[in-house]
Structure formats: C-alpha cells, structure tokens
Amino acid sequence: VFDNVNYMAYYIVGNEVIITNVNELSTTSHAKFGNGILTEGEPEEVRVWMEICNENAGRAVIPFEGMLAGDAWLWSRDRQNADLQRRYREMTEKKFDNQRGYYGTIGDRTVIKNCSIIKDVKVGSDAYLKGANKLKNLTVNSAPEAITQIGEGCELVNGIIGKGCRIFYGVKAVRFMLGSNSQLKYGARLINSFLGDNATISCCEVLNSLIFPAHEQHHNNSFLIAATIEGQANIAAGATIGSNHNSRGADGEILAGRGFWPALCTSLKHNSRFAPFTILTKADYPAELDIPFPFSLVSNDVTNNVLQIMPAYWLMYNQFALERNAWKYETRDKRTEKTQFLESHYLAPDTINSIFDSLKLLELFAGILHCKLHHTGKQFSDSEYQSFGMSYLTTETDKPSSLLLEKHTFENGSRPVKILKPAEAYKTYRNYITYYAYDLVIEYYRRNPGLTKDDFLKLLSTPVERQQFENVGGQFIPAKELKSLKDKIESYEVISWQQVHEFYVAQGKAYAGHKLNHAIASLQEINNNKPFEAANLGEMLDWYLNFRKHLLAEIRHSRQKDYENPFRQMLYADVKEMEAVIGKLEKTPFIVQQQEKLKKDVVFIQELKLKFGIAE
C-alpha cells in the first residue's frame, strides 16, 4: 500500500508493505547502505570509517554488515602490525564490489509511515519505521522473529542496525553500529561508536567508543567518550568519562573490564584501566587510574588525600547483585543468531586470572609491610616478600587491617593508596577460586552421569596449564587460539570474515572444555599442585555444599538490608505497606529461584557421595 509518498525512486519493495506519508524515499547511484566501502570513481576521503576507542581515529575500523563486537575489537587492536591491519581491510573490501547502481530494498510486511527523508537505506522484513526525521545510508536488519523499530524524531546517518533493535524518541546517531536486540531511546546520541548486542543507551551521549554486549546507560547527563567497555556495565547519571583533555591532544582511552560500574557523578581522567567488576564511588578522580583488583570498590578519600581500594568488595558484600546479574544477562540474551558465545557468569577465566594476579600483589604489599615491622633494614626478593605476605595474611594473629602504599602504580600521582581489608580480600579471593573450580567440575559430572569415581580423581589430578584468555567482544577465547587465528589471517589461510565467524562458533563449542581445564588448573595452582586423593573427595563435596549455602545466605542478606534499613522503611506506614509496595523478601523471584537450585544441589551431592562410596 502506497499513500502520500511525495517522491520515491530506485527501490525494490517486498510483499504486504505499507508506505504512507513519506516526503522522500530514494536510493542514489552510489548507495552503500552504511558499509564503509567506495563505489567506482569515488576518492578515499569519502569512505566512512567508524572511529572507535579514542578520539584521534588511531583505532578506526571500516563498518560492514554482519560486523560483530569481536570483529571490531580484533581490528581495533594490534595497530603496530601493519600486515594484519591490511588483511582486515582486504577481508572487508572483499565482501563487496564497487559497482554503482544498487537498488534500495524494503522487506516483506514492513511498515513505513510519517517519515521525512529516507535515502540509501536497506530495510529488512517486518520492520516498523514511524515518524523518523532523517534516515540516510543505513542497513536496518529485521526479521519476523526479531522485529526492528525506529520511532519519532530519530536522525540516523551512516549506520548498520542489528535485528530486533528499538530506536525511538529523538535519537541522533552518526557513524555507528548497533548489535542485535539493542536499544537507543529518549534523545540518546551515539557517534563513531559500536554498541554490542543486548544493550541499552538512553538519553545520554556516547562518542568514539567500543561497547561490548549487555551494556546499560540510562541517564540524560551520562557522558562516555573514547572508551572500550567490555560488557555488563552500568554507567550512572552524571558519569563523565571523557573529554577532560588532560593531555595536549584528543582524549586517550579508557579500558574497563566487564561489570564496570562508576557511581553517580563520577569523573575520570584518560588514560585509565580497570579490572573486571570494578565499582567507583562518587568522586572527581584527580588522576589517571590503573586498578588491577577485580570486584573491587574504589573511592577517593579527599579528607586524607588517599585513593582507597577494597579488593573483593562485591564478593564480600553484594552477592545478590553478582548472582542476579549473571542470571539476568543470560535470560535477556534474545539474539536469533548466536555466533559469539557470550559469557554471563561473574566467575570466568577473566576474573579468575585477575584474582591470581591480585593475590600476588596482596602478598607482595603485605610482605613488605611485615618486613618493615619485623625485619627492619633487611632487603628481600619479591618472592620472599610474597612468602612473608602470604603468612601475614593467613596465619598471623595480627593480620593487617589495611595497607598504605607510598609507592604504587594504581594512580598517576604522588599521594598514597590505601588497600582496605587485605586479609579478608585475600581469603575471599582464594575461596572463590576454589568454588569456581568445584562448581564447574560438579556441573561437568551433572552433565555426564556415566563418569566414575576414578574419572573424577583423574580429572582433578591430571596436570593442566592455566591459560590466558582474551575478551573478544564478550566471548572468551584462549590467547593461544586467538594468536593462531591472527597468524592464519596474516598468512591468507583465513581469507574472510565469514571464516573468522566460523572460528568464533568453533571456540564457543570448545569453551566449556577450555573453561573446565582452566578451572582445574586454577584449583591445582591454589593448592600448590598437591595431588588430589580419594580421601579428599568427601571434604571437597562438603566444602562445596557449605559454600553454596553460604552464597544463598549472602544473596538473601544483601537483599535483606534493603528491607531493614530504617531510611528505606520511613516512607511506609508499616511493614505491610512496604511489602505491598516492594514485595515480600521471601517472595523475591530470584531468591526463590536460588533456594530451589540449592535444594537440587543438596540432592545431587548426596547422590554423588553414594555413587563414590563416601559415608555420611
């Protein structure tokens, strides 16, 4: 159905399409539909690049339909390797020809109404476009099972939009890519940026950034520029991450591991780097930061002019958020094409490897303090300091309540850094490494019920190397495998992005095995490679079950604080009104779900003990 379309040219329209009240719907002879390619006769300077990660275009990539967050990340790295960079460009250009004269297309059952200008736009099936001001040089992917909608007041130029996206109410986006099942809304501005799958940006401004899947940013004055955010982040209102120009050039870069959570009105300096699951308290941080401790709470103590870091904060005090978020990210993954396997759990190779690095740092700093107190004037090697520190943090009766570091690399400044609760963090980190390993091993047995007790012992006793992994757009891939891929790209053994995507799929299928081996290697390392014997099985299973009960108690306790806080209670007439407004603690869906899961774990562990002949 066509009604009141003022000008329409060079479009192929599918079946059951409605187009009404459109000023212009046309395709030019040099249409590229958002891809960063050139048509015959065009100079290089008209090519559209997407300048992600920093403001100086030093990590710019050429956008193409089908590009994944992992592709953008690969291309943005290794800038010193000219051959590899050339190959990425060749692989991209090979996807297209330079012929002019491609028609625009509108897929079946698509509705377009009340739009002003639609030029050089390719639209998939079942899409719904209503009230947009300007759509130019775009690919809008859509399908019956993943409908994309673009609403009132939007102006989108030079972009590629994934399936199942929602873009509405005054969004402005230029030189951008949107992963599948993501949203831009309420005046969001997205420029020179890649937003990954299952993400939402609302109201705020994002420039020159590469954002992995499951990103949340909902507030009008949030500001994110020149950053690589590795997914599962939540950027609060007033966060100013970028454009402080503390150098003589454009902004540098922020690199934040997944789970990054800067609090209200947080201001950061470029360049900064954060371990996975770092929380920043509200502050104007005066200098660049390099925080290596995962799950840490970072705060700016202005009164004492000290940067404070509490390692393992999330693990010790907010288990509800960690467990619920892991569940939430998995259930909200609505992608119809899951080329990349996205890790949603907070315990994974990235966090565990960071924990091992953090244990060594805590041992070193505690050891230096111990030797200052008890071995005045003597010098030791780092390994000796670590040995002293391990004993100081675990067996000494006067464990340190904090560590004040005059010399450090955590902040680009002269003020000291204070490590809070190092002994508690050390113990917590070690416990979660153990839990990570036991949980994966027991889950492996749950999936393979035919395995025997001897298989169990062999699994835990066979020496395994703890591998390094890279976060490739939300998918964890062993560093060795990734290096092999890059070598194959350079040598022309891999010649297309399709083959790269096949590599992702293969790595996704192999990930459970890689992760299990990583967990076993982590367990062996945390136990100093002591042989695992049959006599340890009962102790292991009991420890695991007790820790699972501890987790549930911590999940409940984290949520219970919201009910017991008098400042939260004061706006309700009584407990009944509070429960009517926010619900009963006992009926919190996630807590109920975790209780049921624990019941099943108890039964399974009992069955496993019977199978292994372990007496109660």
Side-chain angles (χ1 to χ4, degrees):
V1 175
F2 297 87
D3 180 54
N4 195 29
V5 180
N6 293 340
Y7 176 70
M8 179 175 177
Y10 303 109
Y11 260 91
I12 299 172
V13 180
N15 299 314
E16 302 177 84
V17 170
I18 298 174
I19 303 176
T20 181
N21 297 334
V22 175
N23 287 345
E24 179 182 352
L25 180 62
S26 65
T27 304
T28 63
S29 63
H30 51 79
K32 307 170 188 69
F33 309 111
N35 296 291
I37 58 175
L38 300 177
T39 59
E40 188 176 8
E42 288 187 315
E44 179 62 34
E45 53 264 28
V46 305
R47 186 191 298 274
V48 172
W49 289 79
M50 192 164 56
E51 298 172 3
I52 57 176
C53 303
N54 63 38
E55 288 187 310
N56 66 14
R59 296 192 188 275
V61 300
I62 298 173
F64 60 87
E65 184 178 356
M67 182 181 239
L68 302 173
D71 303 334
W73 182 85
L74 278 176
W75 199 340
S76 70
R77 303 290 110 181
D78 300 308
R79 288 288 155 150
Q80 79 289 354
N81 189 335
D83 289 337
L84 184 59
Q85 293 297 315
R86 174 178 50 79
R87 288 291 298 119
Y88 290 142
R89 180 165 174 166
E90 288 175 354
M91 284 162 41
T92 301
E93 292 178 336
K94 184 182 175 182
K95 288 175 64 67
F96 307 93
D97 61 49
N98 67 346
Q99 297 298 305
R100 287 175 174 258
Y102 280 95
Y103 279 61
T105 57
I106 298 173
D108 297 342
R109 297 172 301 280
T110 284
V111 175
I112 302 175
K113 61 182 182 180
N114 304 329
C115 296
S116 295
I117 299 172
I118 300 176
K119 180 179 283 190
D120 295 346
V121 177
K122 182 170 69 172
V123 185
S125 71
D126 300 272
Y128 185 76
L129 282 56
K130 176 188 176 185
N133 293 341
K134 184 175 184 178
L135 307 177
K136 182 179 179 182
N137 190 29
L138 304 173
T139 291
V140 181
N141 290 294
S142 184
E145 67 279 7
I147 296 171
T148 292
Q149 299 181 18
I150 300 175
E152 291 84 353
C154 293
E155 296 172 8
L156 313 177
V157 179
N158 300 336
I160 298 172
I161 299 165
K163 294 179 181 177
C165 289
R166 303 286 188 273
I167 306 172
F168 50 87
Y169 301 143
V171 166
K172 315 297 180 187
V174 181
R175 297 192 181 216
F176 70 100
M177 287 198 68
L178 218 60
S180 61
N181 193 43
S182 287
Q183 300 184 67
L184 293 177
K185 54 188 179 179
Y186 306 129
R189 285 87 72 202
L190 184 70
I191 302 169
N192 269 314
S193 295
F194 188 111
L195 179 64
D197 303 318
N198 307 316
T200 299
I201 290 180
S202 175
C203 307
C204 44
E205 184 170 355
V206 177
L207 281 72
N208 303 96
S209 293
L210 171 57
I211 302 172
F212 290 6
H215 179 85
E216 299 289 332
Q217 191 167 351
H218 293 280
H219 306 286
N220 191 47
N221 50 349
S222 292
F223 197 53
L224 179 61
I225 291 182
T228 300
I229 309 295
E230 295 188 340
Q232 301 173 21
N234 195 317
I235 310 297
T240 306
I241 302 172
S243 280
N244 44 58
H245 294 288
N246 55 314
S247 71
R248 265 64 62 190
D251 272 341
E253 300 181 33
I254 297 282
L255 176 60
R258 66 191 178 110
F260 182 55
W261 201 325
L264 297 166
C265 301
T266 297
S267 176
L268 294 176
K269 291 282 194 296
H270 288 74
N271 295 342
S272 289
R273 180 173 59 179
F274 302 94
F277 295 94
T278 298
I279 299 182
L280 306 176
T281 63
K282 175 181 177 179
D284 292 325
Y285 291 90
E288 300 91 329
L289 298 173
D290 187 7
I291 307 299
F293 301 103
F295 306 105
S296 61
L297 175 68
V298 180
S299 56
N300 183 29
D301 183 352
V302 178
T303 303
N304 297 302
N305 194 28
V306 170
L307 180 73
Q308 295 187 144
I309 305 173
M310 187 186 297
Y313 168 83
W314 280 45
L315 299 174
M316 292 190 288
Y317 299 112
N318 203 355
Q319 193 56 236
F320 179 86
L322 283 175
E323 288 285 346
R324 184 180 178 276
N325 285 347
W327 164 79
K328 178 181 72 175
Y329 295 134
E330 185 172 352
T331 57
R332 292 183 181 178
D333 185 1
K334 305 300 182 183
R335 293 174 298 156
T336 57
E337 299 170 3
K338 298 185 178 181
T339 303
Q340 290 199 265
F341 178 86
L342 303 179
E343 174 63 83
S344 61
H345 202 276
Y346 61 94
L347 294 178
D350 64 328
T351 51
I352 296 300
N353 285 344
S354 292
I355 286 175
F356 272 106
D357 294 339
S358 298
L359 289 175
K360 292 178 182 178
L361 288 174
L362 291 173
E363 290 167 357
L364 177 63
F365 299 141
I368 291 172
L369 174 61
H370 184 272
C371 291
K372 281 183 179 179
L373 296 174
H374 301 285
H375 302 280
T376 307
K378 293 184 178 180
Q379 295 294 318
F380 300 93
S381 67
D382 283 356
S383 60
E384 289 172 322
Y385 280 128
Q386 287 174 344
S387 180
F388 282 120
M390 180 185 294
S391 176
Y392 192 23
L393 292 169
T394 56
T395 61
E396 298 285 343
T397 55
D398 60 337
K399 297 181 181 65
S401 59
S402 64
L403 300 170
L404 190 66
L405 311 178
E406 299 291 344
K407 294 182 179 180
H408 56 82
T409 59
F410 304 139
E411 184 181 48
N412 185 19
S414 58
R415 66 175 180 170
V417 168
K418 191 174 187 179
I419 307 295
L420 303 176
K421 300 189 176 183
E424 293 90 333
Y426 188 81
K427 179 180 179 180
T428 300
Y429 276 153
R430 290 181 62 89
N431 281 342
Y432 273 88
I433 291 174
T434 303
Y435 171 64
Y436 164 72
Y438 286 175
D439 191 53
L440 287 179
V441 170
I442 289 170
E443 180 59 30
Y444 177 71
Y445 256 72
R446 199 192 306 269
R447 297 195 311 267
N448 298 276
L451 296 174
T452 65
K453 179 179 178 180
D454 289 339
D455 294 327
F456 199 95
L457 294 172
K458 183 178 180 181
L459 186 69
L460 292 172
S461 302
T462 303
V464 186
E465 176 190 6
R466 179 169 63 87
Q467 294 192 74
Q468 295 300 311
F469 283 69
E470 298 279 3
N471 186 344
V472 183
Q475 177 176 3
F476 292 113
I477 298 176
K480 290 180 180 178
E481 299 288 344
L482 196 62
K483 183 180 184 305
S484 176
L485 171 69
K486 294 175 183 178
D487 291 342
K488 289 178 180 178
I489 291 173
E490 280 193 74
S491 65
Y492 288 84
E493 189 175 344
V494 170
I495 61 173
S496 70
W497 285 109
Q498 177 60 36
Q499 286 179 279
V500 173
H501 292 179
E502 291 168 0
F503 168 81
Y504 295 154
V505 172
Q507 287 300 311
K509 293 177 180 177
Y511 178 64
H514 289 317
K515 189 176 180 182
L516 179 63
N517 286 336
H518 180 269
I520 294 169
S522 300
L523 182 64
Q524 292 171 352
E525 187 172 341
I526 203 70
N527 290 325
N528 298 316
N529 296 311
K530 293 179 181 177
F532 192 90
E533 299 175 352
N536 304 131
L537 273 177
E539 181 183 348
M540 168 191 167
L541 295 175
D542 287 339
W543 188 96
Y544 173 76
L545 201 54
N546 288 332
F547 198 83
R548 287 283 296 113
K549 293 175 181 177
H550 163 75
L551 277 186
L552 180 59
E554 287 300 308
I555 291 169
R556 180 186 170 84
H557 178 65
S558 297
R559 183 65 173 141
Q560 188 173 349
K561 288 184 289 187
D562 294 335
Y563 285 78
E564 295 177 345
N565 186 329
F567 285 88
R568 292 180 183 267
Q569 294 174 346
M570 68 183 178
L571 295 180
Y572 308 107
D574 51 29
V575 173
K576 288 186 177 180
E577 186 187 17
M578 181 177 70
E579 291 179 342
V581 174
I582 65 175
K584 292 186 177 182
L585 176 64
E586 292 75 14
K587 293 186 178 181
T588 303
F590 181 70
I591 292 178
V592 172
Q593 180 195 77
Q594 291 299 303
Q595 289 171 337
E596 293 302 314
K597 186 174 184 294
L598 178 60
K599 289 178 183 178
K600 293 178 181 178
D601 287 343
V602 169
V603 172
F604 181 74
I605 294 300
Q606 290 172 342
E607 292 173 349
L608 208 54
K609 282 185 173 182
L610 287 174
K611 181 177 180 179
F612 291 166
I614 299 172
E616 290 290 338

